[in-house]
Amino acid sequence: MTTKLILLGAGKIGDAILNLLSHTGDYVLTVADRDPQRLEYVKQAGFPNVTTILADISHAPTVTKLISGHDVTLSACPYFLTPVIAAAAKAAHSHYFDLTEDVESTRFVKSLALDSSTAFVPQCGLAPGFISIVANDVASRFEQLHDVKMRVGALPTFPSNALKYNLTWSTDGLINEYCNPCEAIVDGVLRETSPLEELEHFSLDGVDYEAFNTSGGLGTLCESLRDRVQNLDYKTVRYPGHRDIIKILVRDLQLGKLERRPILKEVLETSIPITKQDVVLTFVSVSGMRDGRLEQETYAQKTYSQQVNGQLLSAIQLTTAAGICAMVDLVVTGVLPQSGFVRQEQVTLADFLANRFGQFYAGHAPAHGGFAPASNTDFNKLKAVA
């Protein structure tokens, strides 16, 4: 039996979602966007079982009408459209999934889910998303938790500018992460921390990185672990020097102010090229008591861009799309709850990695046809206990 699914937003991540879902034969897909060029690209790509609709996704009555009759709603739109789309999904009795990193948007989704007959699963993707699943899995193997450190970076494989960065996903989301308050647990207390602060440096596989506070990456994990952990934080990974330049733009030039963020977006999009030659770094380190000893366990992984169904997907496209597609599969097949608010960490890492889309995180493509890693793909997954 096929599932009727509507995807709102045909951008870079939406394109990857269509690639993954359409070739399974298990989903009949409708994609809606207000940009005719994006929809034309979808048509030219030739994805099977996909219908395109030109529509204004910011208009609530239009969105409600679009979603009606669909079993599942996926939002690949900017975070500020989340309230409109989530409310429409509830009205249409459709399971809801999104990729937002925005804390306030997720709180709104959670409030909608309180008396919902369908599942509301926000923050699917990489971070928030997969990183919470990993952190919760590693943390579950400790009797007492001291520190949980979560680090994620989507980086160009060949950095060539002063920022040592290329645009790989939503610019609105990137700016949101750099400018909005962050959550953390410090000495057992949930608190807000400032973005772009608490800079640290580390090396992995002989490459130097920096990491600093950014907003939204923890998802709901603070709430899930707050009674168990002493310290919990999330930081974005970049090549050294990136944070200082961004801090000049956001703080010194005051482009982080809400009314000036459109200027920052224009600066970034007209100056920093997009690339599909990227690497996604996922790093989780947990320390605590186990069998009467203080131990540390680390999960580290690098994922590169690869060919999927004949299309080159960047690492951030692939990991983000695989995250939300796996969560859709797990709800549709009954592995996850069918109603109410569903947190990312409610799925076990084993169930996630066993899923046909989650397998991209496991270091290999799903078993069914069409998913072929590119020859230059190099997955590196390490699990170590120190």
Side-chain angles (χ1 to χ4, degrees):
M1 183 177 177
T2 56
T3 299
K4 293 186 67 176
L5 183 150
I6 185 166
L7 170 66
L8 303 175
K12 293 187 287 289
I13 304 302
D15 181 48
I17 291 170
L18 290 175
N19 182 321
L20 296 185
L21 290 179
S22 66
H23 288 88
T24 66
D26 295 328
Y27 295 93
V28 175
L29 300 145
T30 300
V31 57
D33 200 289
R34 66 178 183 179
D35 187 340
Q37 290 185 331
R38 290 180 180 177
L39 294 178
E40 183 60 31
Y41 177 84
V42 170
K43 293 177 183 177
Q44 294 297 323
F47 298 128
N49 306 309
V50 174
T51 301
T52 61
I53 296 179
L54 184 66
D56 181 3
I57 301 174
S58 65
H59 187 243
T62 298
V63 177
T64 301
K65 185 176 180 180
L66 285 172
I67 293 176
S68 180
H70 290 89
D71 305 305
V72 175
T73 299
L74 268 65
S75 173
C77 293
Y79 68 92
F80 50 80
L81 293 177
T82 296
V84 170
I85 298 170
K90 183 176 182 179
H93 303 286
S94 178
H95 294 306
Y96 171 83
F97 302 79
D98 70 34
L99 297 164
T100 186
E101 78 295 328
D102 186 66
V103 175
E104 289 303 319
S105 295
T106 300
R107 287 172 181 164
F108 178 81
V109 171
K110 187 176 182 180
S111 69
L112 285 178
L114 289 175
D115 58 350
S116 174
S117 61
T118 54
F120 277 72
V121 195
Q123 301 183 319
C124 307
L126 174 62
F130 178 69
I131 190 69
S132 295
I133 298 170
V134 172
N136 192 61
D137 177 77
V138 178
S140 70
R141 292 191 285 276
F142 286 81
E143 294 146 14
Q144 294 180 6
L145 292 175
H146 288 192
D147 301 323
V148 177
K149 299 180 179 181
M150 302 156 63
R151 309 290 185 258
V152 172
L155 302 165
T157 309
F158 308 106
S160 60
N161 53 49
L163 276 173
K164 300 177 184 176
Y165 188 73
N166 289 87
L167 295 178
T168 56
W169 64 295
S170 165
T171 310
D172 289 306
L174 180 71
I175 293 171
N176 205 33
E177 289 187 354
Y178 284 166
C179 298
N180 288 358
C182 314
E183 287 185 324
I185 294 177
V186 181
D187 296 329
V189 178
L190 178 64
R191 50 172 277 195
E192 282 193 350
T193 58
S194 297
L196 305 179
E197 298 299 334
E198 300 184 38
L199 182 68
E200 66 184 33
H201 294 268
F202 69 98
S203 296
L204 181 65
D205 295 339
V207 180
D208 293 330
Y209 301 99
E210 66 180 22
F212 49 87
N213 293 343
T214 53
S215 177
L218 281 174
T220 55
L221 205 59
C222 271
E223 187 175 344
S224 296
L225 295 182
R226 65 182 303 173
D227 294 328
R228 292 189 58 209
V229 67
Q230 284 297 303
N231 298 290
L232 168 66
D233 63 19
Y234 171 87
K235 296 183 181 183
T236 285
V237 177
R238 295 288 185 257
Y239 294 119
H242 178 93
R243 193 288 304 255
D244 290 345
I245 297 175
I246 290 296
K247 199 170 181 181
I248 290 171
L249 294 172
V250 169
R251 301 276 176 78
D252 296 353
L253 299 182
Q254 300 187 37
L255 297 183
K257 289 187 175 180
L258 195 59
E259 67 275 12
R260 290 172 61 83
R261 292 186 191 182
I263 301 174
L264 179 56
K265 180 179 179 179
E266 182 181 3
V267 168
L268 293 174
E269 292 189 339
T270 57
S271 305
I272 307 299
I274 295 170
T275 186
K276 288 195 173 183
Q277 295 175 296
D278 64 335
V279 56
V280 164
L281 171 64
T282 309
F283 185 90
V284 172
S285 178
V286 178
S287 65
M289 299 303 295
R290 186 159 53 188
D291 297 326
R293 297 180 301 179
L294 178 61
E295 292 191 359
Q296 176 179 311
E297 183 173 338
T298 299
Y299 178 107
Q301 175 183 310
K302 286 182 179 179
T303 307
Y304 292 85
S305 57
Q306 65 173 284
Q307 294 281 341
V308 180
N309 296 314
Q311 179 186 11
L312 178 63
L313 296 181
S314 69
I316 190 62
Q317 279 182 298
L318 180 59
T319 51
T320 304
I324 194 169
C325 290
M327 296 302 283
V328 169
D329 254 5
L330 292 168
V331 169
V332 169
T333 57
V335 175
L336 285 172
Q338 302 295 292
S339 63
F341 186 76
V342 180
R343 304 178 188 185
Q344 297 298 306
E345 55 269 25
Q346 284 180 243
V347 62
T348 67
L349 181 61
D351 283 343
F352 184 91
L353 295 179
N355 177 266
R356 55 185 166 181
F357 304 115
Q359 286 183 39
F360 282 108
Y361 279 98
H364 53 86
H368 67 276
F371 296 86
S375 59
N376 66 344
T377 299
D378 175 23
F379 288 95
N380 175 18
K381 179 182 175 183
L382 303 172
K383 271 196 167 185
V385 178

